[in-house]
Amino acid sequence: QEFQGGSGLDMQPMGSTNMEGMPGEEGGDENKERGNWTGPVRLHPLCYRIRRRSWQRGAFLIPYVIMLAVAGLPLFYFELSFGQFANLGPVTIWRASPILKGTGWAMVSISALVCIYYNIIIAWSLYYLFASFNSAVPWRNCDNEWNDLRCRDLTQNTTNATHNVAGNLKAGFNPNPMPCNATITVNCTKYQTPSEQYFDRVVLGYTSYTGVDRKMTEFIGVPQWHVTLCLLLAWILVYVCLVKGIKSSGKVVYFTATFPYVVLIILLVRGATLEGALDGIIFYLKPDFYRLADSKVWSDAAVQIFYSLGVAFGGLMTMASYNRFHNNCYRDALVVAVINCGTSVFAGFVIFSVVGFMAKKTGLAVADVATQGPGLAFIAYPEGLAAMPVAPLWSILFFIMILTLGLDSQFAMMETVLTALADEWPWLKKTFKREALFKMVVCVILFLLGIPICCPGGMYLFTLLNNYSAYYNLFLVSFAELLGVCYVYGIKKFVRDIKMMLGFYPGPYWIGCWMFVTPVMMGFILIFGLTQYGRSSYADEPFTDWGEALAWLMMISTAIAASAAPKRAMQAAAAEAPEWGPAVQKYWPDSRRYQEKLDRLIADREARENAAGLDNGDGSRIGRRGQQRLQLKLRSPEISFLRLND
């Protein structure tokens, strides 16, 4: 009964991309105002996460799979369906329930904050990539000007005759040569690897060449020029790829989303042949069930799923908003989610084969080598690459992979910010020049906001953004969007919208997760995580009070945005806006509900035209003042919507 005919929509196999009465992919954009993806394949950027992987003895994989089933996959399908149905970004899409528009702004604010520090990761990758184009990687040993007596190269199977310490030491006399450990804490040296000193002293400038660490209470210093230039280059790359909209970024993603698979396979084959690789993989797969009692493992697993799939950031709604109305987003959700999370697990084999090799070479336990945070990608793994034959080649391949993965994530989050602003203020994209200038201004602002992280003390700011810009607030946003659609907009309306779009209803599993399982899980993790909250630190230095205040400000501001609603929305309560429905008006007759709404809108427009006095009753046209009154009366959102779709 939902279908009135006229659309020719029939149930077809899930692999079908075209339906009768629907233009093919070659027929041009279905949504002329907004545009659609080109080509039959819709690629969603594969996101990667530099932090929050609790690798301790495989404890991460069990909650990771569970979170995928009860949170990641349901939210992925939910956001794809929601965005594709309306062809709107994460803010304007809440015409479905204007009181929840703040949830969309919360998504945009999270994406904007992550964009600031994510491009820093891309900048570091660019710097390491440029440094790898040499006969030998610069972090291969301790014989450089930035190394000091704390540098020890454990990949060298030697014992220093002067100090009786294993490994190749920096030349010079050390009065306390014994390495510090759990039992020896005084009159000892906390040794560092060459790659660790290279990252801290050359790339970050966090530690001076004399070995003095910058404290959080000190001035952050002036920007590191080499990192700042790499950051500028990173933003130029992002801007060039996004300036022409989805047509250009979609083509770039064909390369950036597929090339990492080639590099991962190459690195896995190389890593599997290294001595000690099996030890690293066993450590990766062998679970420690005692770790499952730690709430942080579960919250980290949920955040990893959120980053991996891009849920609650607004990116999925944004990308899906450029799909054709009858695109099979159900198939996309299953295929992309499984491939994406499978890639994350596959990448673990690549990483831990080299980590096991490092443990074998250094004589350390795998757990001591498998660091978290930026240290895994920019310290531990480069150290393993430096020990391989033809190290520059493997280093170039690895950092090209990190670069392409980072750009994928950055494209999705930046497109979220740009689309949300352009949907709210359409005049920003009225002409190509205006749209290009608008995108340039946004990129410049985010570049300027990222410059403080390029300073020697900027690692504290990076850690704050990395830890708090998208963590607890992701759970809050996902909780709000599910409750908003299921209980405010109405789950019955939503599943009928999906049937109108795809030709079939979602199954009980999806509806059960949307209405109960996923919101309860998100609420539980949020509350339980907050009760066990602990102050963060970097390099064993806890954050100061102002650092903690800044962290909570980021999280609270997102919560405020999610709960905010404009006065008009509050007055309208939870009622959907009159113009809510498929962006392409020809699909409205496919549903009795939207056909009736369309009839009401047309009747209302005719009534407004008559009330405005289109003529003077004798067939003569109204004058200029009458035309002005008419334009004022026709300026409501629903009437503007009809004019755009006539």
Side-chain angles (χ1 to χ4, degrees):
Q1 293 178 349
E2 284 290 313
F3 296 96
Q4 303 296 314
S7 68
L9 177 63
D10 297 314
M11 282 296 294
Q12 295 194 7
M14 288 180 58
S16 174
T17 56
N18 286 312
M19 296 183 180
E20 184 182 352
M22 171 183 165
E25 297 290 352
E26 297 80 8
D29 290 337
E30 181 181 70
N31 190 334
K32 302 296 183 182
E33 187 77 16
R34 186 182 187 82
N36 297 108
W37 294 113
T38 56
V41 181
R42 286 91 174 170
L43 290 175
H44 177 70
L46 296 177
C47 302
Y48 81 110
R49 183 62 166 146
I50 204 75
R51 185 189 160 271
R52 302 198 196 284
R53 287 180 180 263
S54 301
W55 295 115
Q56 293 86 343
R57 300 192 66 79
F60 191 80
L61 291 177
I62 296 174
Y64 183 81
V65 174
I66 294 175
M67 285 298 167
L68 172 63
V70 302
L73 200 53
L75 281 168
F76 196 82
Y77 182 30
F78 169 84
E79 292 192 3
L80 282 185
S81 302
F82 200 34
Q84 180 176 307
F85 179 80
N87 276 182
L88 294 171
V91 176
T92 315
I93 200 171
W94 290 105
R95 289 174 181 171
S97 183
I99 198 172
L100 292 165
K101 193 172 185 177
T103 304
W105 285 118
M107 292 178 175
V108 174
S109 65
I110 292 173
S111 291
L113 287 172
V114 175
C115 280
I116 294 173
Y117 85 86
Y118 230 73
N119 244 17
I120 296 292
I121 298 173
I122 297 176
W124 293 341
S125 302
L126 285 169
Y127 186 77
Y128 271 84
L129 178 62
F130 296 149
S132 300
F133 284 95
N134 211 324
S135 57
V137 292
W139 57 86
R140 68 190 183 282
N141 54 41
C142 295
D143 299 328
N144 304 288
E145 60 175 336
W146 56 81
N147 299 126
D148 65 3
L149 298 178
R150 291 187 293 174
C151 183
R152 180 172 64 157
D153 183 8
L154 287 174
T155 62
Q156 302 294 324
N157 293 322
T158 60
T159 299
N160 186 277
T162 304
H163 300 305
N164 193 29
V165 175
N168 183 26
L169 302 181
K170 174 73 175 180
F173 177 74
N174 185 352
N176 299 305
M178 293 303 298
C180 296
N181 53 42
T183 56
I184 303 176
T185 58
V186 295
N187 297 326
C188 59
T189 298
K190 187 177 180 180
Y191 287 106
Q192 296 175 307
T193 62
S195 62
E196 185 177 359
Q197 291 202 340
Y198 182 79
F199 183 63
D200 284 344
R201 303 181 180 208
V202 179
V203 180
L204 300 181
Y206 167 77
T207 305
S208 66
Y209 282 15
T210 58
V212 179
D213 294 339
R214 186 172 295 271
K215 299 299 181 182
M216 189 179 295
T217 54
E218 298 176 0
F219 176 61
I220 63 173
V222 297
Q224 297 274 90
W225 67 268
H226 52 277
V227 179
T228 306
L229 290 179
C230 288
L231 179 63
L232 177 61
L233 177 58
W235 276 112
I236 291 174
L237 289 174
V238 171
Y239 174 74
V240 170
C241 293
L242 294 179
V243 67
K244 291 186 178 180
I246 61 169
K247 302 298 184 184
S248 57
S249 61
K251 294 175 182 177
V252 173
V253 168
Y254 274 103
F255 170 75
T256 59
T258 55
F259 179 75
Y261 286 101
V262 178
V263 178
L264 283 173
I265 293 173
I266 294 174
L267 291 177
L268 178 62
V269 172
R270 181 67 185 97
T273 61
L274 296 173
E275 185 182 10
L278 183 60
D279 296 334
I281 292 178
I282 291 175
F283 174 84
Y284 173 51
L285 295 177
K286 187 176 180 180
D288 180 3
F289 293 104
Y290 292 103
R291 292 279 303 163
L292 298 179
D294 186 356
S295 65
K296 195 172 188 307
V297 173
W298 291 88
S299 59
D300 285 353
V303 172
Q304 177 62 32
I305 285 291
F306 277 48
Y307 265 87
S308 182
L309 296 179
V311 295
F313 285 88
L316 287 177
M317 292 182 186
T318 300
M319 296 300 171
S321 71
Y322 295 102
N323 284 344
R324 294 173 180 271
F325 185 73
H326 288 306
N327 171 62
N328 195 333
C329 60
Y330 175 72
R331 175 199 58 205
D332 293 348
L334 293 176
V335 172
V336 175
V338 172
I339 292 178
N340 204 343
C341 294
T343 302
S344 297
V345 176
F346 175 70
F349 288 93
V350 178
I351 294 294
F352 278 90
S353 62
V354 176
V355 169
F357 165 69
M358 279 297 300
K360 187 72 174 180
K361 290 286 289 184
T362 59
L364 299 173
V366 177
D368 296 330
V369 179
T371 59
Q372 296 185 38
L376 184 61
F378 296 101
I379 296 177
Y381 208 85
E383 186 74 19
L385 296 174
M388 295 183 186
V390 200
L393 172 63
W394 306 114
S395 181
I396 289 170
L397 289 175
F398 176 73
F399 285 108
I400 288 178
M401 180 188 71
I402 294 293
L403 176 63
T404 54
L405 288 171
L407 286 174
D408 271 345
S409 301
Q410 193 74 351
F411 291 160
M413 289 181 290
M414 274 301 296
E415 193 66 58
T416 299
V417 177
L418 297 173
T419 298
L421 296 174
D423 282 351
E424 281 295 288
W425 296 283
W427 58 269
L428 290 172
K429 56 179 181 179
K430 190 172 183 180
T431 64
F432 174 74
K433 288 185 178 179
R434 182 179 296 181
E435 185 178 9
L437 179 61
F438 151 64
K439 292 179 178 180
M440 180 184 294
V441 169
V442 174
C443 289
V444 169
I445 291 174
L446 295 180
F447 164 68
L448 294 176
L449 292 174
I451 288 179
I453 307 178
C454 301
C455 299
M459 196 59 189
Y460 292 113
L461 299 176
F462 176 89
T463 305
L464 281 174
L465 287 167
N466 191 37
N467 289 6
Y468 297 106
S469 63
Y471 193 48
Y472 296 115
N473 41 14
L474 290 177
F475 305 145
L476 177 63
V477 168
S478 61
F479 184 82
E481 66 175 340
L482 285 174
L483 291 186
V485 171
C486 293
Y487 296 100
V488 181
Y489 175 66
I491 188 64
K492 290 183 179 180
K493 292 181 182 178
F494 184 56
V495 297
R496 286 172 182 167
D497 290 343
I498 293 177
K499 183 182 179 184
M500 175 185 174
M501 185 171 59
L502 301 182
F504 53 88
Y505 287 114
Y509 163 75
W510 304 106
I511 298 175
C513 286
W514 294 337
M515 295 190 68
F516 179 75
V517 177
T518 305
V520 169
M521 180 65 72
M522 294 299 97
F524 176 78
I525 293 177
L526 176 62
I527 295 172
F528 198 60
L530 289 174
T531 58
Q532 297 192 359
Y533 173 81
R535 179 170 291 199
S536 296
S537 63
Y538 178 74
D540 298 328
E541 182 183 0
F543 285 154
T544 59
D545 292 338
W546 72 263
E548 283 293 296
L550 185 60
W552 280 99
L553 180 61
M554 283 190 290
M555 292 189 290
I556 293 174
S557 62
T558 303
I560 293 174
S563 61
K567 182 179 179 181
R568 188 180 69 182
M570 293 297 291
Q571 292 172 344
E576 63 186 71
E579 67 272 23
W580 166 254
V584 182
Q585 191 174 313
K586 70 177 182 178
Y587 294 119
W588 284 48
D590 291 353
S591 169
R592 179 175 298 170
R593 171 172 164 246
Y594 288 103
Q595 176 65 67
E596 292 173 352
K597 180 188 285 192
L598 184 61
D599 292 339
R600 289 194 300 269
L601 289 174
I602 294 174
D604 187 50
R605 182 177 69 171
E606 293 174 349
R608 287 173 182 262
E609 290 176 347
N610 293 333
L614 188 59
D615 56 52
N616 293 319
D618 57 359
S620 61
R621 305 295 294 178
I622 60 177
R624 177 179 298 179
R625 190 176 299 275
Q627 291 177 4
Q628 291 175 349
R629 289 199 306 268
L630 173 62
Q631 291 300 321
L632 288 173
K633 291 187 177 183
L634 294 180
R635 202 169 283 176
S636 66
E638 62 270 21
I639 300 302
S640 300
F641 167 77
L642 286 173
R643 287 206 310 275
L644 286 173
N645 287 278
D646 275 349

